[in-house]
Amino acid sequence: MADDGMLLNFELPSDAFASTKSFRGGGWKDRHTAKKSFQYGRKKAQERAVGSMPRFDEVRSEDEGLILPNPRPAKRPRIEDAEGLQSTYRPSAGINRSGQATTIHGSSKTPKDGVISSLFSFNPQSAPSYPKPAMEAEEIVQPSNAPLEDELANFTSLGLSPTLAAHLLRKLGIKAPTAIQRKAIEQLCAAHADAFIQAETGSGKTLAYLLPIVERLMQLSKQMKTAGTGLNRESGLFAIVLSPTRELSKQISAVLESLLACCHWIVSGTVIGDHIDNTEVLDVSKVRWLVLDEGDRLMELGFEKDIQKIVGVLNLRRKKVVDSSLADLPERRCTVLCSATLKGNVEQLKHTTLKDAASIAVDEDMSTADASSENKAAAFSAPAQLKQSYVLVPSKQRLVTLVATLRQAFKRKGSVAKCVVFISCADSVDFHFDLLTQQSLTAGEGAAAEPKDDATPTQQSIPKHSNKIAQGNSISETRTHGLATAISSDQNQVQLFRLHGSLQQSTRTSTLMAFTKCTDPSVIVCTDVASRGLDLPNIDLVIEYDPPFSKDDHLHRVGRTARAGRDGRAMIFLAPGCEEGYVDILKDCGPRNITRHGADEMLKKGFSPSIGVVGDKDWQEAATTWQLDIERWALAHPKHLEQARRAFQSHVRAYATHVAAERSIFDMGQLHFGHLAKAFALRDKPGSIRVPGQRPGQNEGRKSNDARKASAGRAAAGSTKRGRADDDFEDQTPTDKEAGRRRTQAKLKSMGGASEFNLG
């Protein structure tokens, strides 16, 4: 008791006023060891003293009733729910691993549906970001795939007839060629020789090889008319274009039909499958042009033997034309190989199908014959005008961060017209589509619960089957379109589409057409089936929600935007830790700069209230409330829960299929399965997530030929390509990853094996 009557209630250590113990004599190591031993003993004594205090949230003084905080919080009781699962009731406040106070939001009642964890606690920390250098005046970057502005770079000067050049200008609105079109058209119109075309995505490779073929056929038709005959359907087949996917084939056919509008006597068609042996009326003896589009993708999907067979059949069935009207038809066949990259398998295809080929590329170094393959592959990059960024997102915050990013992108009407979200597997696409279009899901501040009449796309832009919904409020195999209630607002209604290779071909075609013609702001969630060659108009933003399986896949994904000289943005989601190493790969792709974002930054923009002062608690509570809502939504119906589990299971399997060179970045041993499960609205223990069998309705949807070829190609590639989950560490030598490898294999095996990834 002090003289003024105040109570001093504090306690000092018993040795607080003792002199610091000094250590004399002996060597340096002896003194250092003695000092460490003394410090360790003192630390243990303090811990024992604290441990002897009462285990209450507060300590009450018996003398005057003062309350002191207890350094040890009360132990959390374990409670069994109705299903026998042990759940942990967490207090409303705690301390995370970094020592910062966190708040766990949600119901104050004891949870009865598994463990509820906070979005903002126990998340891995990212590498420290260094201060950015002082920004100078931003340099104006010229688009690398835009049409040329040189007055001399017109189509007539390259060898095209005035009729075809005028058609390009008046009917198609194409005023000037791109750089790769200028080189390819000039080369292919001047000489009938094999060629290898390599250029970045969005540079117009399709017109680069179609225009010379159409021009040569128009000249042939003109000569036949002079001889008294004409080119018609009975004249035969003169050109074949092979592409890896049906979507790309239909797109090439659409471009070709638009070109042939000025010469209606030349007819185009589209066939799917191998007709060389099965279609007797298919006469290939007059084929003089063979184009292999997306050659790298053709090899990846396992079409090497099919291509060799087709080339062999064309060589065997080719004969000298005796028809005098076709005397000007070239005697030999011209083969054109198009590829965005020049890897080892493309080199092999090049040597197999081409003879004395001319290399056509924008970069002079890439067109030289003595350039190494490594330098050629490194020269391919993203368009110069593309703005790339990455966001570091902990696994448990992935879903809410995606929603926040899309909300921010479509916050204002007219800000973003269309967006593509790439996801690794078909099951995950279905899950996210169903979740983001749920009418019963709380969409947050300002979101629309029901679609408005003026926000519905025109009937012409919606597939007839797009609004068929199965019972139980679960996704239907035919429903590929809906209002994105989770990201829409009163000011901006957003339409959502889905696309993957396991859908029926008619569904895939109508979905792409609907997305292309939709005049409202729209998002399409899709697998890599939409990453190659497709020219989707007005794509302003590409989000790689799941990292690509290889660097080449990344370049093709981001190539859906910033096409033909237009601006575009691309963002990729990466987890803090080893995945941050992927930033170096992004820099190798050649953008002018890469912007870094944090998950908190995106969540604050997407979940903050539209008016008023914004505090950390506001957007954290909004994000947590939304997360808890979708977890309850997943638990509300067995179909929802199965869908979420199936998506999680397929995602983990797909994660193990990255190329060998990048497996140290996407390390399965460092993947936190528990946190990742939360991103799929799951409260289950990862080891208990087992969904055997195929996805419901998968047998109904006819599996496409390219998906079957993909499975066969990956199985044949083994560990040298994407391989299986059992081989995902075969090319890694550090022995310290052996334990993580075995644990990963055990978890994958417990989830039903890894033979089916559903990547299509």
Side-chain angles (χ1 to χ4, degrees):
M1 181 71 72
D3 296 336
D4 55 358
M6 294 186 64
L7 176 66
L8 300 179
N9 190 356
F10 61 88
E11 180 181 2
L12 294 176
S14 59
D15 57 347
F17 299 98
S19 59
T20 304
K21 186 173 182 178
S22 60
F23 305 92
R24 299 177 180 277
W28 178 86
K29 289 185 178 180
D30 296 333
R31 296 196 303 271
H32 181 72
T33 301
K35 182 178 180 181
K36 290 292 184 182
S37 178
F38 172 77
Q39 293 176 349
Y40 179 79
R42 182 174 179 178
K43 179 181 178 181
K44 285 295 184 182
Q46 292 178 351
E47 291 178 354
R48 287 193 295 270
V50 173
S52 62
M53 298 177 68
R55 295 174 58 87
F56 302 106
D57 288 338
E58 296 174 340
V59 179
R60 184 177 299 276
S61 171
E62 296 181 358
D63 297 333
E64 299 295 335
L66 295 181
I67 298 176
L68 298 177
N70 185 2
R72 298 187 64 183
K75 184 178 180 180
R76 298 187 295 269
R78 302 190 69 82
I79 304 172
E80 289 192 1
D81 56 15
E83 299 180 358
L85 297 176
Q86 286 188 342
S87 58
T88 304
Y89 175 69
R90 301 179 182 272
S92 59
I95 304 295
N96 60 16
R97 292 178 180 176
S98 61
Q100 300 175 349
T102 61
T103 302
I104 301 177
H105 309 281
S107 175
S108 60
K109 299 181 180 179
T110 303
K112 296 183 179 181
D113 42 28
V115 177
I116 301 179
S117 61
S118 172
L119 287 173
F120 301 96
S121 63
F122 300 103
N123 288 316
Q125 300 296 324
S126 60
S129 58
Y130 299 96
K132 297 181 180 180
M135 295 295 293
E136 300 178 357
E138 185 175 356
E139 181 182 359
I140 299 177
V141 177
Q142 296 296 332
S144 58
N145 55 10
L148 301 175
E149 298 181 356
D150 187 1
E151 294 181 357
L152 299 179
N154 54 66
F155 287 104
T156 54
S157 64
L158 302 179
L160 297 184
S161 62
T163 302
L164 186 56
H167 177 71
L168 291 173
L169 176 62
R170 298 173 183 174
K171 300 297 182 179
L172 304 182
I174 302 177
K175 300 179 181 179
T178 63
I180 192 63
Q181 288 173 356
R182 179 174 66 177
K183 288 191 173 184
I185 294 172
E186 189 174 13
Q187 167 67 27
L188 296 177
C189 287
H192 190 80
D194 293 352
F196 174 73
I197 301 177
Q198 183 183 13
E200 63 188 21
T201 59
S203 57
K205 292 192 296 294
T206 304
L207 284 178
Y209 63 75
L210 284 182
L211 284 172
I213 295 176
V214 174
E215 174 64 26
R216 299 292 290 269
L217 290 177
M218 290 177 64
Q219 295 297 329
L220 178 62
S221 177
K222 184 177 180 181
Q223 295 168 359
M224 292 176 63
K225 288 182 178 179
T226 303
T229 59
L231 198 65
N232 51 49
R233 291 178 179 268
E234 298 179 356
S235 300
L237 178 64
F238 297 99
I240 296 176
V241 180
L242 298 179
S243 64
T245 63
R246 301 178 184 183
E247 283 75 19
L248 183 55
S249 297
K250 292 182 177 297
Q251 177 178 292
I252 297 173
S253 178
V255 175
L256 181 58
E257 288 179 359
S258 65
L259 292 179
L260 297 180
C262 66
C263 47
H264 56 83
W265 55 89
I266 303 176
V267 182
S268 65
T270 305
V271 293
I272 297 175
D274 192 353
H275 293 263
I276 295 294
D277 294 332
N278 302 325
T279 307
E280 295 182 359
V281 297
L282 182 61
D283 183 10
V284 296
S285 61
K286 301 177 184 178
V287 172
R288 295 298 185 267
W289 289 273
L290 174 63
V291 180
L292 306 176
D293 200 2
E294 297 287 344
D296 53 346
R297 187 61 172 170
L298 286 170
M299 297 297 286
E300 287 180 2
L301 296 180
F303 286 109
E304 179 181 3
K305 293 184 178 180
D306 293 331
I307 294 175
Q308 292 178 354
K309 180 180 178 181
I310 292 174
V311 172
V313 171
L314 292 178
N315 292 334
L316 290 175
R317 298 184 183 179
R318 185 187 56 167
K319 60 183 179 180
K320 188 174 182 180
V321 180
V322 296
D323 190 352
S324 59
S325 62
L326 298 175
D328 295 325
L329 192 68
E331 292 186 2
R332 67 179 301 271
R333 185 183 66 252
C334 173
T335 303
V336 180
L337 174 61
C338 301
S339 178
T341 59
L342 186 56
K343 300 183 293 187
N345 53 6
V346 180
E347 279 281 7
Q348 181 180 354
L349 181 61
K350 179 180 177 182
H351 291 303
T352 303
T353 58
L354 304 183
K355 183 178 180 180
D356 300 329
S359 296
I360 304 174
V362 176
D363 192 348
E364 296 295 337
D365 296 334
M366 297 167 60
S367 60
T368 57
D370 57 349
S372 64
S373 300
E374 182 179 358
N375 292 334
K376 290 179 182 179
F380 174 59
S381 61
Q385 73 274 18
L386 176 67
K387 296 180 180 179
Q388 295 199 63
S389 62
Y390 67 97
V391 52
L392 295 177
V393 187
S395 296
K396 66 167 65 173
Q397 295 180 0
R398 278 172 51 82
L399 185 56
V400 290
T401 305
L402 173 64
V403 172
T405 303
L406 292 174
R407 284 187 181 182
Q408 176 64 19
F410 293 93
K411 192 172 184 177
R412 297 179 182 87
K413 191 169 185 178
S415 56
V416 171
K418 292 184 178 180
C419 171
V420 180
V421 179
F422 283 104
I423 298 178
S424 61
C425 50
D427 289 324
S428 186
V429 168
D430 292 341
F431 165 75
H432 287 89
F433 174 82
D434 201 14
L435 184 147
L436 296 176
T437 57
Q438 284 298 317
Q439 300 295 336
S440 59
L441 184 63
T442 302
E445 173 106 11
E450 295 291 340
K452 292 186 177 181
D453 294 337
D454 57 354
T456 304
T458 60
Q459 291 297 327
Q460 183 181 2
S461 66
I462 301 178
K464 295 180 179 179
H465 55 267
S466 62
N467 293 323
K468 296 180 182 179
I469 304 176
Q471 295 180 356
N473 200 24
S474 181
I475 195 169
S476 170
E477 281 298 311
T478 59
R479 190 170 75 98
T480 59
H481 166 265
L483 178 66
T485 56
I487 60 178
S488 296
S489 63
D490 292 335
Q491 296 76 24
N492 208 17
Q493 300 285 310
V494 182
Q495 307 297 324
L496 188 68
F497 299 82
R498 70 179 176 109
L499 180 70
H500 54 73
S502 295
L503 295 172
Q504 292 186 6
Q505 183 57 49
S506 59
T507 304
R508 292 160 60 179
T509 302
S510 60
T511 300
L512 275 176
M513 184 178 298
F515 177 71
T516 301
K517 294 183 178 181
C518 183
T519 58
D520 294 331
S522 53
V523 178
I524 184 169
V525 290
C526 58
T527 59
D528 283 341
V529 72
S531 66
R532 297 279 183 143
L534 294 184
D535 186 14
L536 304 174
N538 303 322
I539 301 298
D540 302 295
L541 175 62
V542 170
I543 297 179
E544 296 182 89
Y545 183 58
D546 292 336
F549 298 108
S550 67
K551 175 184 175 181
D552 296 335
D553 291 339
H554 163 73
L555 290 171
H556 284 285
R557 282 178 170 187
V558 300
R560 297 316 97 206
T561 185
R563 300 179 66 85
R566 295 186 293 269
D567 293 334
R569 293 184 295 138
M571 173 182 289
I572 184 172
F573 279 46
L574 299 174
C578 59
E579 288 189 12
E580 295 183 61
Y582 199 75
V583 178
D584 295 333
I585 296 180
L586 296 178
K587 293 179 180 178
D588 290 340
C589 296
R592 49 178 173 168
N593 54 31
I594 301 177
T595 307
R596 166 176 169 160
H597 301 286
D600 288 351
E601 174 188 351
M602 308 307 296
L603 290 172
K604 186 175 182 179
K605 291 179 179 179
F607 283 97
S608 295
S610 57
I611 57 175
V613 180
V614 179
D616 290 343
K617 187 177 181 181
D618 297 331
W619 60 267
Q620 286 184 5
E621 285 183 348
T624 304
T625 300
W626 193 90
Q627 175 71 31
L628 293 177
D629 284 340
I630 65 166
E631 291 177 11
R632 298 186 188 101
W633 167 81
L635 292 168
H637 198 281
K639 291 185 178 180
H640 297 162
L641 188 59
E642 178 186 350
Q643 189 181 51
R645 290 172 175 172
R646 193 179 297 277
F648 168 79
Q649 181 174 283
S650 297
H651 174 86
V652 173
R653 292 172 180 172
Y655 194 89
T657 63
H658 287 274
V659 293
E662 299 176 6
R663 288 179 194 155
S664 59
I665 298 176
F666 302 101
D667 188 354
M668 288 288 295
Q670 311 235 358
L671 194 63
H672 197 303
F673 292 93
H675 287 189
L676 183 62
K678 192 172 184 66
F680 289 89
L682 294 174
R683 297 177 181 176
D684 302 339
K685 296 168 63 175
S688 63
I689 300 176
R690 301 182 185 91
V691 188
Q694 293 180 330
R695 170 190 329 115
Q698 188 171 0
N699 291 331
E700 300 174 6
R702 181 165 53 89
K703 200 171 184 180
S704 61
N705 184 53
D706 54 315
R708 292 196 301 269
K709 294 293 183 180
S711 300
R714 294 189 186 101
S719 60
T720 59
K721 285 188 177 180
R722 298 177 184 174
R724 301 168 307 210
D726 294 339
D727 299 330
D728 61 344
F729 285 92
E730 289 296 324
D731 296 334
Q732 295 187 8
T733 55
T735 57
D736 57 340
K737 293 183 179 179
E738 182 65 23
R741 172 180 173 272
R742 292 178 179 177
R743 289 194 300 268
T744 299
Q745 291 180 2
K747 289 181 179 178
L748 287 173
K749 186 176 181 181
S750 67
M751 293 189 323
S755 60
E756 176 63 48
F757 298 108
N758 290 333
L759 296 178

